[in-house]
Amino acid sequence: MYNLLRKNIERKIPLTEEEWNCIVSKAELIKLKKNEFLQIQDSNNSYEGFILKGSFKTYILNENGTESVIFFSFEKEWMCDLESFYHQKPTTYNIKAIEDSEILVINKVNKAKLFVEVPKLIQFHVIMIERANIAIQQRLLDVLNKTSKERYLDFRERYPEKMQTINNKNLSSYLGVSHEFLSKIKRMV
């Protein structure tokens, strides 16, 4: 079951059986039904996680109660509220399953233990943080420099198999447009 995680790690660093067993011993499998939360905004419960199955949305609730979707995360991807996890601050984001999902998570204490027990995981950690920073920068550049239509087309090209999973409300929030405008974009393409 955890094979997807092992393959993901071993694309960057080789693992012995002993190292792999150490990783598995520190990870926790969480199964969530559609619309269940992995993390609730302003809580003190933050994980770093690898998605084995399913999809998640990471979003904030604005003062007026509307959702702003920041990211979607899918199978074989890592997910984390970085500031909360690394600085032990209250969580910034809600993370909610948008379909039945399974995720392997680790808390900060167990991750620190892993770095001591399997030091080469630090190299993998650096790679993960670099990718997260690049993804955040790319998301910001897309929002600032691309039209809503271009962002929609990019998303559709990158995740064609997930287009049926994400409803128009979530997709329009992610793109920063109204439901009506999203419908117009879909008709144009």
Side-chain angles (χ1 to χ4, degrees):
M1 172 187 259
Y2 296 0
N3 239 10
L4 289 176
L5 174 62
R6 186 169 187 168
K7 286 179 183 176
N8 183 272
I9 295 171
E10 287 188 328
R11 285 185 4 228
K12 300 296 179 193
I13 61 167
L15 295 170
T16 66
E17 279 306 309
E18 184 179 335
E19 291 166 337
W20 173 243
N21 290 333
C22 185
I23 292 168
V24 170
S25 74
K26 304 279 189 291
E28 175 188 354
L29 176 66
I30 296 179
K31 295 181 179 184
L32 296 167
K33 297 284 185 195
K34 181 179 180 176
N35 293 322
E36 287 186 326
F37 288 90
L38 176 67
Q39 173 180 300
I40 297 175
Q41 192 172 331
D42 296 321
S43 70
N44 290 310
N45 193 17
S46 183
Y47 301 103
E48 182 176 81
F50 181 77
I51 303 168
L52 296 171
K53 173 187 166 195
S55 305
F56 292 84
K57 67 176 178 178
T58 300
Y59 68 97
I60 58 169
L61 276 179
N62 298 321
E63 289 178 13
N64 62 5
T66 60
E67 290 182 9
S68 292
V69 177
I70 311 300
F71 287 109
F72 291 107
S73 302
F74 305 110
E75 289 112 1
K76 302 178 191 173
E77 291 183 347
W78 290 91
M79 182 174 62
C80 186
D81 180 335
L82 295 171
E83 183 177 27
S84 175
F85 185 81
Y86 290 108
H87 297 287
Q88 300 297 285
K89 291 184 175 185
T91 56
T92 304
Y93 308 104
N94 293 295
I95 300 177
K96 188 178 199 179
I98 54 177
E99 61 183 326
D100 291 352
S101 300
E102 296 178 6
I103 183 168
L104 282 170
V105 298
I106 190 167
N107 62 36
K108 183 161 185 193
V109 170
N110 280 340
K111 186 159 186 183
K113 289 177 185 176
L114 268 180
F115 286 165
V116 171
E117 296 170 25
V118 186
K120 65 182 165 185
L121 280 177
I122 295 170
Q123 176 187 357
F124 183 74
H125 168 78
V126 168
I127 293 167
M128 284 177 40
I129 294 299
E130 287 171 351
R131 286 186 175 183
N133 283 329
I134 290 167
I136 291 165
Q137 287 178 343
Q138 189 59 55
R139 172 84 168 116
L140 181 59
L141 287 172
D142 288 352
V143 168
L144 293 173
N145 295 315
K146 291 184 177 179
T147 67
S148 304
K149 181 180 174 184
E150 289 170 327
R151 291 194 309 273
Y152 171 78
L153 291 171
D154 287 349
F155 187 84
R156 190 176 76 171
E157 182 179 317
R158 186 169 181 200
Y159 300 109
E161 70 285 352
K162 292 297 181 180
M163 290 304 291
Q164 301 306 317
T165 305
I166 299 170
N167 65 35
N168 282 346
K169 177 184 174 195
N170 287 328
L171 188 55
S172 62
S173 174
Y174 175 79
L175 296 172
V177 299
S178 68
H179 300 106
E180 297 78 17
F181 194 70
L182 176 59
S183 295
K184 183 178 176 182
I185 292 170
K186 285 181 168 185
R187 282 192 305 271
M188 292 185 323
V189 296

